[in-house]
């Protein structure tokens, strides 16, 4: 790996950042956000179908019914990936396509779709990275209690085995869950995401059962011969702006260590357990659960978007997705933000990666998501998204600096390949490096896609 300053006449000094040999470059998506074909070939309803069709839950009543129509256009999308030189593509499998009832009968037609997708990727030299759960829980399982119910963890492991049985001969890297914090706390506590529940105790139970599902699925994937098993978390360095530490520590426990410590150390942090005990108790954590959750992991997937700033604020009520944060204020972002209103701060990625390799040195790191929404507008056949190029450039430099500081970072997957259904924001927020005209389904690689192609080609900046 090298970093040097290149100066050419008339140009500003441009620091070069070359990544280690074998560094994996790619892009990511998720099933409900891009596939569409919501009722085709035996797919059953998911909690996101129900939620998005509930008035007032998603901006302008948008749904994933059609999305990017990737279910039918996957071959075009794979060709796009190959044109961009991507080495890896991270996608998720829709549980309700494969096991429409959540448990029981397997829908062969659903598996056939992923079979075709994997073959197409491999034929184009793109390595598939499978995520088994990116939030589209089959609705019948939610009707039986959702992730707040313990049985869901076992059903998830059964479904994982079914998918591995079909794709395991061609897929090496298996990620169990995407962002369990979001699934549990936006889904069951703040109600901003499906299934839209507002019950802190249910959210803590959901978080534990998601982790249990991860552990059970990891065991069954491993037993079936999966080469690499991973878990993807949304992680954020928590910074306390008033000079104190307690507020940052507490929020770090809820957001980061609640998942890192059980999965990678086999125990919950004590400070977290104190909060859980006050929100429904600890009865759902059974003897032996932490041994199941603590499975050997090959990769920790990191979804990084921004740091979290907090300060002590006596009298402040708890923030909706963060039970136990009474007397803490989540500071409004200062400085530049993306179209989501999220602060742009690449240094958070560097500090996060360095911390993870320091605190959890046994696991390799992969950035499974990083990117930004901006208000892109096509200009003929071009989308000039300089703001996204600057965002990605800054974050890749931060990733490079983290590697130089000792982080065991193996690759970077941009979020997202395509503009897509951004959950409660519908199609109003565009994260893609490829623009989608949702009226015509025309795909237009943005300037950031062409820029990223060069990054991949040069293995750096
Ligand atoms: O679109 C989401 C993705 O599904 C999970 N991580 C964050 C992205 C942007 O909000």
């Amino acid at each position: 790996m090298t970093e040097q300053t290149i100066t050419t006449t008339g140009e500003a000094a441009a620091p070069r950042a070359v990544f280690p040999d074998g560094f994996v470059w790619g892009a990511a998506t998720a099933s409900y956000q891009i596939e569409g074909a919501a009722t085709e070939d035996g797919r059953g309803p998911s909690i996101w179908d129900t939620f998005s069709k509930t008035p007032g839950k998603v901006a302008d009543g948008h749904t994933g019914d059609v999305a990017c129509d990737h279910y039918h256009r996957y071959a075009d999308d794979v060709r796009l990936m190959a044109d961009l030189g991507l080495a890896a593509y991270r996608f998720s499998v829709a549980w309700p396509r494969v096991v429409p009832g959540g448990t029981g009968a397997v829908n062969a037609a659903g598996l056939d779709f992923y079979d075709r997708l994997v073959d197409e990727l491999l034929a184009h030299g793109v390595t598939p990275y499978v995520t088994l759960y990116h939030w589209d829980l089959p609705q019948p399982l939610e009707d039986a209690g959702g992730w707040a119910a313990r049985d869901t963890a076992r059903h998830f492991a059964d479904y994982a085995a079914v998918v591995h049985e079909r794709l395991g001969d061609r897929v090496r890297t298996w990620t169990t869950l995407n962002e369990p914090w979001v699934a549990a706390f936006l889904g069951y506590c703040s109600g901003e995401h499906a299934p839209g529940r507002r019950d802190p105790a249910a959210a803590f139970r959901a978080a534990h059962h998601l982790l249990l599902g991860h552990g059970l699925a990891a065991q069954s994937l491993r037993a079936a011969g999966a080469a690499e098993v991973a878990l993807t978390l949304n992680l954020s360095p928590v910074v306390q702006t008033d000079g104190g530490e307690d507020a940052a520590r507490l929020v770090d426990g809820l957001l980061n260590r609640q998942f890192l410590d059980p999965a990678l150390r086999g125990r919950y942090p004590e400070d977290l357990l104190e909060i859980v005990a006050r929100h429904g108790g600890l009865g759902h954590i059974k003897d032996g659960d932490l041994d199941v959750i603590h499975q050997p992991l090959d990769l920790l997937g990191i979804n990084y978007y921004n740091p979290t700033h907090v300060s002590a604020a006596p009298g402040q009520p708890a923030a909706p997705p963060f039970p136990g944060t009474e007397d803490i204020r989540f500071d409004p972002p200062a400085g530049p933000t993306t179209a989501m209103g999220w602060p742009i701060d690449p240094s958070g990625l560097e500090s996060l990666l360095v911390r993870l390799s320091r605190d959890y040195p046994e696991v390799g790191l992969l950035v499974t998501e990083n990117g930004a929404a901006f208000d892109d507008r096509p200009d003929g056949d071009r989308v000039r998204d300089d703001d996204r190029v600057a965002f990605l450039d800054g974050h890749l430099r931060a990733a490079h600096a983290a590697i130089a500081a000792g982080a065991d970072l193996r690759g970077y997957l941009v979020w997202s390949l395509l503009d897509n259904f951004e959950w409660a924001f519908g199609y109003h927020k565009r994260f893609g490096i490829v623009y989608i005209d949702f009226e015509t389904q025309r795909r237009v690689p943005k300037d950031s896609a062409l820029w990223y192609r060069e990054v991949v080609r040069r293995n750096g900046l």
Side-chain angles (χ1 to χ4, degrees):
M1 194 179 75
T2 55
E3 174 146 22
Q4 61 194 88
T5 300
I6 312 251
T7 318
T8 52
T9 321
E11 280 180 17
R16 269 189 82 196
V18 179
F19 284 73
D21 288 345
F23 193 78
V24 176
W25 297 100
T29 64
S31 47
Y32 190 72
Q33 294 181 273
I34 66 161
E35 285 180 2
T39 54
E40 269 180 65
D41 294 340
R43 178 186 179 278
S46 78
I47 54 174
W48 270 97
D49 295 278
T50 308
F51 188 74
S52 63
K53 287 175 179 137
T54 307
K57 297 299 184 189
V58 173
D60 286 335
H62 290 172
T63 74
D65 280 359
V66 177
C68 308
D69 196 30
H70 173 77
Y71 188 77
H72 299 112
R73 295 168 194 260
Y74 72 91
D76 292 345
D77 293 337
V78 171
R79 202 170 317 117
L80 259 173
M81 296 175 215
D83 287 348
L84 295 177
L86 304 187
Y89 174 53
R90 169 182 181 248
F91 63 93
S92 74
V93 173
W95 185 349
R97 235 183 243 300
V98 173
V99 187
T103 177
V106 173
N107 176 35
L111 282 171
D112 290 347
F113 168 66
Y114 298 105
D115 210 66
R116 293 194 293 276
L117 173 61
V118 165
D119 282 348
E120 194 72 14
L121 288 164
L122 293 172
H124 285 80
V126 182
T127 302
Y129 281 61
V130 166
T131 300
L132 287 161
Y133 185 71
H134 198 125
W135 310 348
D136 38 6
L137 186 72
Q139 183 62 42
L141 289 185
E142 179 56 33
D143 297 341
W147 284 108
R150 190 175 172 88
D151 281 351
T152 303
R154 189 168 42 81
H155 299 319
F156 175 63
D158 292 345
Y159 146 74
V162 166
V163 181
H164 184 274
E165 194 178 318
R166 179 63 90 87
L167 304 180
D169 56 338
R170 284 154 292 154
V171 173
R172 275 182 59 77
T173 308
W174 292 83
T175 300
T176 54
L177 307 175
N178 178 73
E179 301 186 4
W181 181 83
V182 174
F185 290 91
L186 298 195
Y188 291 82
C189 194
S190 71
E192 294 159 83
H193 276 198
R197 289 169 64 178
R198 295 198 176 136
D199 176 352
F204 281 118
R205 287 201 306 278
H208 181 69
H209 297 145
L210 280 153
L211 281 165
L212 189 62
H214 156 74
L216 292 168
Q219 283 179 335
S220 89
L221 290 165
R222 205 60 94 179
E228 290 191 322
V229 178
L231 169 68
T232 280
L233 303 176
N234 56 302
L235 299 171
S236 174
V238 187
V239 179
Q240 188 159 342
T241 46
D242 57 15
E245 298 180 348
D246 294 353
R249 175 101 191 133
L250 185 139
V251 174
D252 181 68
L254 286 163
L255 191 52
N256 300 320
R257 287 178 289 113
Q258 176 166 198
F259 299 92
L260 287 165
D261 283 7
L264 294 163
R265 292 186 171 152
R267 57 175 188 265
Y268 277 113
E270 286 302 322
D271 53 343
L272 187 264
L273 287 178
E274 283 172 26
I275 302 173
V276 184
R278 284 189 270 118
H279 294 86
L282 302 173
H284 58 288
I285 306 173
K286 310 283 185 211
D287 282 354
D289 282 2
L290 283 150
D291 292 337
V292 174
I293 293 168
H294 184 209
Q295 294 301 312
L297 281 188
D298 300 287
L299 287 171
L300 175 67
I302 295 133
N303 293 355
Y304 172 78
Y305 289 91
N306 53 263
T308 301
H309 292 106
V310 296
S311 46
Q316 179 85 18
F322 289 98
T325 57
E326 295 81 6
D327 303 325
I328 294 175
R329 188 179 61 227
F330 286 75
D331 297 335
T337 59
T338 67
M340 298 293 284
W342 297 347
I344 300 175
D345 186 350
S347 73
L349 178 60
E350 179 180 347
S351 63
L352 177 63
L353 293 170
V354 170
R355 167 197 173 177
L356 291 170
S357 274
R358 182 197 63 211
D359 291 355
Y360 308 94
E362 63 282 5
V363 68
L365 308 179
L366 176 68
V367 172
T368 37
E369 286 183 26
N370 175 240
F374 290 107
D375 294 326
D376 307 311
R377 291 187 212 300
D379 176 4
D381 278 343
R382 194 163 165 197
V383 181
R384 299 166 199 271
D385 59 339
D386 297 350
D387 32 19
R388 184 172 292 99
V389 171
F391 181 99
L392 296 176
D393 182 272
H395 285 77
L396 285 174
R397 288 179 193 283
H400 186 269
I403 297 172
D408 182 10
L409 180 64
R410 316 262 175 94
Y412 177 94
L413 311 180
V414 70
W415 184 269
S416 177
L417 177 71
L418 309 173
D419 290 338
N420 59 48
F421 176 81
E422 176 53 28
W423 308 113
F425 298 89
Y427 297 98
H428 292 296
K429 303 293 177 195
R430 294 181 174 273
F431 275 89
I433 57 172
V434 174
Y435 185 88
I436 303 281
D437 177 338
F438 290 104
E439 296 291 312
T440 63
Q441 293 294 345
R442 187 168 75 113
R443 275 96 166 116
V444 181
K446 302 178 191 177
D447 283 3
S448 57
L450 308 178
W451 172 87
Y452 192 53
R453 175 165 67 188
E454 279 306 293
V455 172
V456 173
R457 193 177 65 77
R458 296 174 186 196
N459 192 33
L461 299 149

